[in-house]
Amino acid sequence: MRGHQCKLDIKNGCIDLSHGSGGRAMAQLISGLFHEAFGNEWLARGNDQSAFDVGGGRMVMTTDGYVVSPLFFPGGNIGSLAVHGTVNDIAMAGARPLYLSASFIIEEGFRFSHLKMIAESMGEAARSAGVHIITGDTKVVERGKADGLFISTAGVGVVPDGLDLSAENARVGDRVLISGTLGDHGIAIMSKRQNLAFETDVMSDSASLHDLVVKMVEAGGHGIRLMRDPTRGGLAATLNEIAQQSDLGFRLQEEAIPVKPDVAAACELLGLDPLHVANEGKLVAIVSPEVADAVLAAMRAHPLGCDAAEIGEAIADDHHFVQMATSFGGGCIVDWLSGEQLPRIC
Amino acid sequence: MKYVDEFRDKEIALGLAKAIRAEVDLARPYRFMEFCGGHTHTVSRYGLEDMLPNNVRMIHGPGCPVCVLPAGRIDMAIHLAMRPEVILCVYGDLMRVPGSQGASLLKAKARGADVRMVYSTIDAIRIAEENPAREVVFFAIGFETTTPPTAIMIRLAEKKHLSNFSVFCNHVLTPPAMQNILESSDIRNIGGVEIDGFIGPAHVSVIIGTTPYEFIAEEFGKPIVITGFEPLDMMQAILMLVRQVNEHRHEVENQYRRAVIRDGNLRAKEEVSTVFELRDRFEWRGLGRVPYGGLRLKPAYTKYDAELRFGMRELCVADDPACECGAILRGIKKPVDCKLFGTVCTPVTPMGSCMVSSEGACAAHWTYGRFRDHQQRPVS
Ligand code: SF4
């Protein structure tokens, strides 16, 4: 990062293999684009790693890879998504997210201008979540080998003393809360996929949930058993996973599950179930019945939880079924999806 | 959702359920087969079984075009797709359907076959235009509903003088399959078919109308109600079937008047008859060889027939001998009666046709209904 560097031609330039070579071009890319976007004291030191303070409590760590297509979608892009996703994984432990790392695998030919937009929205997402991207890595691969750009992240945070959110804490009679409408992210993405493009105003719900979590913990304390963000696989996968881990079943009320009319309509058209569609800014909380109302009220008072709802309860069930009373009056199981969810032909 | 929510209204549903309960004769069974997987899906997804009296039983029939596609035809498609010059265009839900020994188009794609998921026949034409040096084959599949778009596409390819485009034709016909279910030769092995009426395919009838089912109602004495896919459609159709049974009638009635007329869509039927003709026999997964159960291209269009163009050899692959699909499709057994259900055969590792697509009888029961095998009490 030292020595003479000419400026990147952000407007017209693109990634070539030299930007991953470890030489001057790479240094120029990192300082001229990523440091600009993420700017903080740790990065400015220019080390391959950063030492940092964590304060009291237990530390949590998470890692994740982002390979979304398309890279830009209504309501965000792969960069902001990578920050939100990693922050949320930390926040679901009830932790305060502190630091992130970001590693970029970029395809030869990728435009600087797009990379800049992505890096800037990452920087912006990190600043508004109060976390710092303090270390990173850049690799460039040949054209056709990375679908444009992949990002992988790691994140650390600190759990306040005494707080322990985990699936084995759940008990029969606990309530299931959801922080808002389901399926927004998945439908926003699908509406922009090649061959499937359809008109909708649905925006991705991609958002950092750490602040909402703080408010919920204030209201519910130890009554909050666990939290999860229902990303890929949707609410169905998340609840099935929790059911297995907690050795319980769940009983949901379909009527109570919030879904935007536009999302419901798009799902109808594509033959998908909103319960299987991905979310990036929602959380599920399993809470004791005593604190359920207080936690729900705290969620509703927060902008990211204004559509929060109680949607069901934990029941004893050796088979770990997630059952649902349908809004039509019958009953069914809400199962994991088998393989990828694909539109039906008829 | 305007025009959809109206067909999912709980109060009306409860009213219909009450009417059904009031009219059924508790001294006799009512066994109704829904032929289409879309109906099976509705029954399972909305938990309609919980709303019906115990002596009214729904039998999940052949399902959808994906479930009835035999493994041999998937193997044929995989062989074709592995040819370096071929781009195979398929609808997404075909990707996971198992051929023999667990092979699938999804796995073939991972091994290097150029398999592209398309959402309409037009995409396949576009891909052919964009790749003049490759052979683009469209994997055509479906009941009467999806046949007209294939016919129109073949005529469009002709108009555009596309020489690198062909169709692997797997279109099948529903009335011969319904007939086959009622008079199949393996009845001797698996016992008599006990069906008191049919919920008839809705989308199919939008194209072919209701007349092609009249001979079944007439000759086999079975009431048929052509029905929409919304839960209220089905509840109303069940009530209509109960009434026909009680009154000893066996007619084709049309519950789905908002989309179906007696003669169907004449323009679409004409397109189909211009391009396609009957095959003497076509294998249906779970049903075996169904006389006149499928379509192929007419002689004037054989240059678009991938089977001829690539000299494709017909492959026959038997389902696992323990698989009970044949009996399940005819309403003689239930999914849980199969030893493989939920053990080796699940939606992730389907062994037979009923588990292949989400609309098959076994897959629907596994995905939505298996809690009933462990507790008789419905949720609510
Ligand atoms: S469970 Fe599987 S093997 Fe058994 S009948 Fe159903 S599809 Fe066939």
Side-chain angles (χ1 to χ4, degrees):
Chain A
M1 256 160 280
R2 313 259 182 268
H4 172 74
Q5 287 170 14
C6 51
K7 246 170 96 61
L8 292 176
D9 180 2
I10 298 279
K11 197 152 154 256
N12 303 306
C14 65
I15 291 282
D16 61 49
L17 291 173
S18 74
H19 291 109
S21 65
R24 180 168 288 163
M26 183 164 149
Q28 188 185 16
L29 174 73
I30 292 169
S31 64
L33 200 147
F34 291 127
H35 284 197
E36 284 281 313
F38 305 157
N40 58 53
E41 58 189 282
W42 295 270
L43 274 181
R45 284 183 206 128
N47 295 323
D48 279 343
Q49 73 293 110
S50 291
F52 51 83
D53 296 324
V54 292
R58 277 181 312 135
M59 207 164 101
V60 292
M61 178 169 179
T62 182
T63 179
D64 217 336
Y66 296 84
V67 294
V68 63
S69 167
L71 297 174
F72 294 88
F73 48 82
N77 62 51
I78 187 170
S80 49
L81 183 69
V83 172
H84 293 150
T86 313
V87 164
N88 290 346
D89 281 346
I90 297 168
M92 290 310 111
R96 185 164 55 91
L98 296 171
Y99 304 104
L100 307 186
S101 77
S103 161
F104 297 83
I105 296 174
I106 316 171
E107 196 176 296
E108 181 188 15
F110 197 76
R111 297 169 68 100
F112 283 151
S113 55
H114 287 175
L115 191 58
K116 184 163 186 267
M117 269 150 65
I118 289 166
E120 281 176 353
S121 67
M122 278 182 93
E124 173 57 36
R127 277 186 292 278
S128 69
V131 297
H132 305 285
I133 303 171
I134 61 168
T135 183
D137 182 46
T138 306
K139 295 282 184 306
V140 176
V141 294
E142 281 170 41
R143 196 181 278 271
K145 291 199 169 160
D147 209 5
L149 167 73
F150 298 148
I151 300 177
S152 80
T153 58
V156 294
V158 176
V159 194
D161 270 336
L163 192 65
D164 174 29
L165 303 185
S166 180
E168 68 259 20
N169 299 340
R171 298 283 172 271
V172 172
D174 281 353
R175 300 298 148 85
V176 183
L177 309 180
I178 176 94
S179 67
T181 54
L182 289 180
D184 301 9
H185 176 72
I187 292 301
I189 292 265
M190 275 184 247
S191 74
K192 290 291 172 265
R193 286 242 166 105
Q194 211 200 351
N195 296 338
L196 200 62
F198 53 89
E199 285 295 317
T200 175
D201 295 332
V202 176
M203 307 266 274
S204 167
D205 57 356
S206 181
S208 291
L209 297 168
H210 59 291
D211 190 49
L212 174 65
V213 170
V214 169
K215 298 290 180 311
M216 290 168 68
V217 171
E218 275 168 21
H222 293 284
I224 299 180
R225 316 285 202 200
L226 75 140
M227 293 189 223
R228 286 277 157 88
D229 52 341
T231 53
R232 255 183 325 159
L235 179 70
T238 300
L239 285 179
N240 276 285
E241 194 178 87
I242 299 173
Q244 299 273 354
Q245 293 164 348
S246 62
D247 199 17
L248 295 168
F250 288 104
R251 179 183 290 149
L252 307 180
Q253 300 295 330
E254 186 177 21
E255 274 163 322
I257 300 176
V259 178
K260 287 199 175 94
D262 289 12
V263 170
C267 285
E268 191 64 33
L269 192 73
L270 299 170
L272 308 175
D273 190 328
L275 303 185
H276 288 133
V277 179
N279 312 278
E280 287 294 345
K282 299 290 151 49
L283 63 81
V284 184
I286 311 297
V287 304
S288 77
E290 294 78 29
V291 303
D293 288 344
V295 175
L296 189 60
M299 291 165 90
R300 288 187 173 151
H302 192 280
L304 292 176
C306 55
D307 296 319
E310 178 177 325
I311 59 172
E313 64 175 337
I315 56 173
D317 182 353
D318 295 342
H319 300 280
H320 309 139
F321 288 140
V322 179
Q323 297 180 39
M324 181 165 78
T326 73
S327 49
F328 193 73
C332 72
I333 296 187
V334 178
D335 206 1
W336 308 83
L337 206 58
S338 314
E340 207 188 332
Q341 196 172 30
L342 300 167
R344 289 203 302 266
I345 65 164
C346 82
Chain B
M1 270 182 301
K2 196 152 170 49
Y3 310 126
V4 172
D5 291 343
E6 290 84 339
F7 296 99
R8 297 177 187 173
D9 187 289
K10 189 177 189 172
E11 294 313 311
I12 302 177
L14 293 175
L16 280 168
K18 208 165 139 198
I20 292 169
R21 268 200 304 280
E23 294 197 28
V24 297
D25 172 358
L26 290 175
R28 58 151 303 161
Y30 296 79
R31 292 151 301 195
F32 301 135
M33 170 178 279
E34 75 272 357
F35 186 92
C36 269
H39 287 134
T40 302
H41 188 266
T42 302
V43 169
S44 313
R45 171 63 181 76
Y46 293 92
L48 298 196
E49 275 153 291
D50 296 334
M51 309 182 70
L52 298 173
N54 286 338
N55 61 329
V56 177
R57 200 187 123 207
M58 302 310 291
I59 297 165
H60 313 311
C64 72
V66 172
C67 329
V68 300
L69 193 72
R73 304 285 297 178
I74 293 285
D75 283 359
M76 289 167 75
I78 291 173
H79 287 165
L80 184 64
M82 291 309 286
R83 294 170 74 125
E85 76 273 28
V86 167
I87 300 174
L88 184 70
C89 298
V90 305
Y91 289 132
D93 48 2
L94 268 175
M95 296 293 282
R96 289 194 305 119
V97 179
S100 59
Q101 283 150 17
S104 70
L105 287 165
L106 199 64
K107 289 183 183 156
K109 185 168 166 16
R111 292 206 321 269
D114 195 346
V115 183
R116 311 229 183 136
M117 263 194 265
V118 293
Y119 295 95
S120 81
T121 54
I122 296 297
D123 292 340
I125 294 274
R126 180 180 49 76
I127 292 170
E129 286 177 321
E130 287 168 4
N131 294 276
R134 306 279 303 276
E135 282 286 340
V136 174
V137 182
F138 177 67
F139 193 148
I141 175 179
F143 295 153
E144 290 86 339
T145 330
T146 54
T147 314
T150 308
I152 290 167
M153 177 183 60
I154 289 169
R155 304 226 297 148
L156 183 66
E158 186 181 43
K159 213 192 276 165
K160 290 177 175 256
H161 305 292
L162 275 181
S163 59
N164 65 332
F165 177 80
S166 58
V167 168
F168 177 40
C169 179
N170 293 278
H171 284 298
V172 288
L173 300 172
T174 51
M178 214 181 251
Q179 177 176 3
N180 177 280
I181 287 169
L182 291 168
E183 62 176 15
S184 133
S185 54
D186 19 295
I187 284 182
R188 258 171 273 122
N189 307 330
I190 55 181
V193 175
E194 295 178 322
I195 294 173
D196 300 300
F198 286 95
I199 300 269
H203 291 162
V204 167
S205 286
V206 171
I207 305 294
I208 65 173
T210 60
T211 45
Y213 298 101
E214 284 170 3
F215 81 97
I216 293 179
E218 188 68 21
E219 284 180 25
F220 295 95
K222 303 289 178 193
I224 298 175
V225 177
I226 307 295
T227 313
F229 291 104
E230 292 301 326
L232 278 186
D233 288 327
M234 290 203 69
M235 293 294 283
Q236 187 184 16
I238 291 165
L239 181 60
M240 289 164 79
L241 282 170
V242 166
R243 283 183 184 155
Q244 282 209 45
V245 169
N246 289 351
E247 293 162 13
H248 306 289
R249 287 186 292 122
H250 42 85
E251 297 159 16
V252 178
E253 288 184 311
N254 182 7
Q255 180 276 339
Y256 200 40
R257 283 169 196 274
R258 62 186 187 277
V260 167
I261 54 172
R262 187 160 183 267
D263 291 328
N265 181 331
L266 297 180
R267 166 90 208 289
K269 288 202 292 191
E270 201 182 298
E271 288 285 349
V272 171
S273 62
T274 305
V275 175
F276 293 104
E277 63 182 17
L278 289 176
R279 292 191 198 233
D280 302 348
R281 283 174 176 275
F282 189 79
E283 193 188 336
W284 286 53
R285 203 169 197 161
L287 289 184
R289 292 190 160 257
V290 175
Y292 304 110
L295 294 174
R296 66 167 170 239
L297 295 168
K298 275 189 166 167
Y301 292 93
T302 45
K303 62 171 186 269
Y304 297 107
D305 188 335
E307 285 178 71
L308 297 175
R309 183 182 293 212
F310 298 97
M312 291 167 75
R313 216 161 39 86
E314 188 80 42
L315 295 173
C316 289
V317 182
D319 274 338
D320 189 296
C323 168
E324 301 276 13
C325 281
I328 289 172
L329 291 180
R330 293 175 174 85
I332 296 154
K333 291 191 173 167
K334 294 184 192 170
V336 280
D337 298 330
C338 174
K339 281 202 293 289
L340 306 182
F341 179 81
T343 54
V344 283
C345 185
T346 69
V348 184
T349 52
M351 304 290 291
S353 69
C354 302
M355 197 62 99
V356 170
S357 107
S358 63
E359 302 186 348
C362 295
H365 184 67
W366 174 263
T367 308
Y368 292 111
R370 68 187 189 279
F371 71 98
R372 291 192 189 85
D373 304 336
H374 303 283
Q375 60 186 75
Q376 291 311 310
R377 181 173 50 86
V379 284
S380 74

